[in-house]
Amino acid sequence: MRIRPQILYCSILLISLATGVASAQNAGASSGYPVAQGKLTEPEHRGKGLYRRYCVGCHGVRGDGNGENAPYLDPKPRDFTQATFKCRSTASGSLPLDSDLYATITRGIHASGMPSWNPLPSRDRSDLIAYIKTFSPRFHEEQPGPALPIPAEPPASAESTQRGAAVFQDMNCWSCHGKDGRGNGPSAHTLTDSRGYPITPYDLTTGSRFKCGESDRDLFRDLMTGLDGTPMPSFTDALKPDQLWDVVHYIRSLQTNHGQDGEAAMVGSKTETGK
Amino acid sequence: MKKNNLPLVVTVVLLVCSASVVAARTGSAPNNPSNASAVVTGVVKFEGTVPKPTHIDMSQDPKCAKLHPAGVRYADIVADGNGGLENVVVFVASGLGDRTFDPPTEPAVIEQKGCLYEPHVVAMRANQELEVVNNDVTTHNIHPQPANNREWNKSQPPGLQIEETFAREEISIPVKCNMHPWMRSYIAVFKHPYFAVTGKNGSFDLKGLPPGTYTLKAWHETLGTATQTITIGAAESKQVEFVFKARPSM
């Protein structure tokens, strides 16, 4: 098949233009919009300027998740006024650590409107966190709990996977995620997030990119802490660490793409919209 | 030497007296309502046709369905033959001024039994311990969804007990088990001890109120909130009635 020269030139022009725009954006990444300082500390003040530039469109001026783009997004942008965050290293109900928020901003949240803000300088991401925390009085009134410890992962084995399958049944994980982990359990169609919007359980068989990180340790942490603001509960009191690792190994066994090389592993995976 | 000590002694005596007066104003009497004398008793009534209970389908979890061979029916409006409305939270909404109250040491309890919550409506104090019990043979997750408190969501297999607290007043926090979508309950959290949940005949009593003028409210999960104002003197007993009417759509 031959490509016509006009199409080739146009493609090169568009790619150059897009690269230039991206580069220009990155060059100006450290500068937020000018905003009044008021009673804000210096990091909060810088963070507010950055927030008004990068975050306000979805999360809104008041941080309540009602930005002008919010009606078009599913799942909805985080409401910072509630200080309830999915991705934490702390117990369910606890505030997140700054390092948790930093990790989320850096990583982004897969299958949502939240992109990775890794291109922003480290200081900008820290300042954004300082400002985001001003939206809820909880950050002044409470201290986040300690990070829950993650013990070393035992080797995955057929026995561990089998035990994990039994725990998956006993803990009623199937009621949302389905008997075979496809996200089609009997309760799936009834689930909502804490703001009342419908939410779909994760299809464990096709998705290998989880919202709060993709490693086995990230999965272990999700099971321990739960994803606050969603129907996914914390299992830290219900299960021992070895049992949690068994569940991680069982979930990995459902992911036929897991372990393959990067992009190839993503081919054929459908978009996830759940927790 | 003795002369020099006199002002110090007077100061200490005055401080002790002041502290006693402050303690009496802010704490002890209201903390122990049985010692106070004023009592508000009453009834909450429902006017209209009580909607028929609907069938709960528990078949998705055979461990739950097995507990109810004859089936389960549920209604959010439960009233007796006289219209006495159950599961209404009646409480003092204002009039206590800046009095503060220590939370009780005994916990409030919510139980999961027969894959339902018992009681359906829990009223408790801010910072009082909430004991969550699972007496079923299946795993639940207990998931309060507050607007003014921190949200938590915990898996609870049979036998595991969970203790939690709510720090702020909130009327009322919906509670879900996401695994069993028919399960729903409400937790009302108060910063004072003057509240009650109506029983099967819609009756309630609020004991030990200090004399004063109060706004009383009655809250029901689907019928909303009714309000009235009362003035009560020392050693006085008052009767109060709240009436909720059926919504036009019922």
Side-chain angles (χ1 to χ4, degrees):
Chain A
M1 190 177 79
R2 295 188 61 188
I3 300 172
R4 291 199 308 187
Q6 293 93 326
I7 294 176
L8 189 62
Y9 295 144
C10 281
S11 302
I12 291 169
L13 185 66
L14 280 171
I15 289 167
S16 310
L17 202 61
T19 312
V21 169
S23 151
Q25 281 181 340
N26 287 342
S30 61
S31 57
Y33 284 137
V35 289
Q37 180 149 5
K39 291 178 182 173
L40 299 175
T41 64
E42 189 50 38
E44 290 166 356
H45 180 224
R46 283 195 79 250
K48 183 175 180 179
L50 292 159
Y51 180 91
R52 288 292 175 92
R53 180 169 184 191
Y54 299 116
C55 316
V56 74
C58 298
H59 293 284
V61 175
R62 296 180 186 84
D64 55 7
N66 287 324
E68 60 181 316
N69 302 326
Y72 312 105
L73 294 173
D74 178 19
K76 295 296 175 196
R78 183 89 339 222
D79 174 0
F80 298 129
T81 65
Q82 292 296 311
T84 300
F85 293 89
K86 287 189 185 90
C87 304
R88 308 169 329 280
S89 59
T90 57
S92 180
S94 168
L95 292 170
L97 300 174
D98 284 4
S99 54
D100 297 329
L101 298 175
Y102 187 89
T104 301
I105 288 178
T106 303
R107 183 186 59 245
I109 297 188
H110 173 60
S112 80
M114 175 71 178
S116 162
W117 293 97
N118 195 38
L120 291 184
S122 170
R123 184 187 169 192
D124 286 4
R125 282 174 273 163
S126 297
D127 291 343
L128 275 169
I129 290 163
Y131 181 62
I132 284 166
K133 287 164 66 178
T134 66
F135 286 121
S136 170
R138 282 187 60 195
F139 283 103
H140 296 289
E141 297 163 2
E142 300 170 28
Q143 289 295 316
L148 299 178
I150 302 178
E153 181 176 1
S157 64
E159 292 75 24
S160 170
T161 302
Q162 214 164 11
R163 287 194 302 269
V167 173
F168 188 86
Q169 296 302 314
D170 286 347
M171 290 295 110
N172 287 352
C173 305
W174 53 267
S175 63
C176 301
H177 292 285
K179 291 280 183 192
D180 50 5
R182 292 185 184 278
N184 58 353
S187 297
H189 69 286
T190 69
L191 301 179
T192 62
D193 66 16
S194 293
R195 296 173 73 186
Y197 293 106
I199 189 167
T200 312
Y202 207 87
D203 180 345
L204 301 168
T205 64
T206 56
S208 58
R209 297 183 66 193
F210 294 92
K211 288 190 184 300
C212 301
E214 296 164 29
S215 71
D216 285 2
R217 284 174 65 83
D218 293 326
L219 252 181
F220 184 98
R221 190 187 303 108
D222 291 348
L223 293 169
M224 265 199 317
T225 63
L227 304 184
D228 283 359
T230 80
M232 174 69 182
S234 157
F235 289 87
T236 194
D237 297 327
L239 295 173
K240 295 179 178 136
D242 280 354
Q243 293 176 296
L244 289 169
W245 280 123
D246 289 340
V247 177
V248 170
H249 294 154
Y250 172 63
I251 291 171
R252 289 303 192 199
S253 78
L254 299 173
Q255 297 165 350
T256 50
N257 289 331
H258 178 62
Q260 296 180 22
D261 288 336
E263 289 302 312
M266 296 307 299
V267 173
S269 78
K270 71 177 184 187
T271 305
E272 304 295 335
T273 55
K275 55 197 176 186
Chain B
M1 198 64 176
K2 280 181 183 173
K3 269 186 183 176
N4 288 345
N5 279 344
L6 187 61
L8 181 64
V9 171
V10 170
T11 311
V12 168
V13 169
L14 281 174
L15 278 173
V16 169
C17 290
S18 312
S20 307
V21 169
V22 169
R25 276 182 188 164
T26 57
S28 46
N31 268 340
N32 186 1
S34 61
N35 288 345
S37 47
V39 179
V40 177
T41 56
V43 66
V44 181
K45 291 202 165 177
F46 177 74
E47 273 184 14
T49 308
V50 179
K52 285 184 180 167
T54 51
H55 172 69
I56 297 177
D57 180 7
M58 294 189 180
S59 60
Q60 73 172 58
D61 189 341
K63 289 177 182 171
C64 293
K66 204 175 166 184
L67 297 169
H68 303 278
V72 192
R73 301 186 81 77
Y74 170 77
D76 50 19
I77 296 175
V78 183
D80 69 5
N82 297 320
L85 185 61
E86 196 178 336
N87 290 328
V88 180
V89 185
V90 182
F91 59 97
V92 171
S94 66
L96 289 165
D98 56 0
R99 291 179 177 90
T100 58
F101 307 90
D102 295 330
T105 50
E106 67 274 18
V109 179
I110 185 167
E111 192 180 352
Q112 291 145 118
K113 194 177 177 183
C115 295
L116 296 167
Y117 288 112
E118 178 61 37
H120 179 62
V121 176
V122 177
M124 61 182 287
R125 299 271 293 281
N127 294 315
Q128 181 182 8
E129 192 171 89
L130 173 69
E131 204 171 277
V132 186
V133 180
N134 182 4
N135 281 324
D136 283 327
V137 291
T138 190
T139 299
H140 294 289
N141 73 299
I142 176 119
H143 186 186
Q145 296 187 305
N148 193 31
N149 279 284
R150 61 192 182 83
E151 177 182 337
W152 44 270
N153 181 5
K154 294 186 172 183
S155 165
Q156 192 173 27
L160 179 71
Q161 193 164 303
I162 291 172
E163 286 93 26
E164 275 288 350
T165 56
F166 297 101
R168 301 175 191 87
E169 191 164 76
E170 185 165 350
I171 304 141
S172 290
I173 302 170
V175 180
K176 279 183 180 178
C177 171
N178 302 105
M179 296 171 180
H180 303 114
W182 62 84
M183 290 178 68
R184 197 171 177 84
S185 128
Y186 294 89
I187 299 175
V189 184
F190 296 92
K191 56 186 178 186
H192 60 71
Y194 306 110
F195 56 82
V197 181
T198 58
K200 289 193 183 304
N201 58 359
S203 67
F204 67 90
D205 57 57
L206 304 173
K207 289 178 182 160
L209 266 173
T213 298
Y214 298 101
T215 305
L216 293 186
K217 287 192 175 181
W219 174 91
H220 183 269
E221 62 189 85
T222 55
L223 297 169
T225 304
T227 305
Q228 58 181 287
T229 303
I230 61 157
T231 298
I232 194 162
E236 195 178 350
S237 294
K238 270 221 159 132
Q239 286 277 338
V240 172
E241 184 176 282
F242 285 98
V243 178
F244 286 97
K245 292 187 177 171
R247 294 188 304 261
S249 57
M250 283 178 177

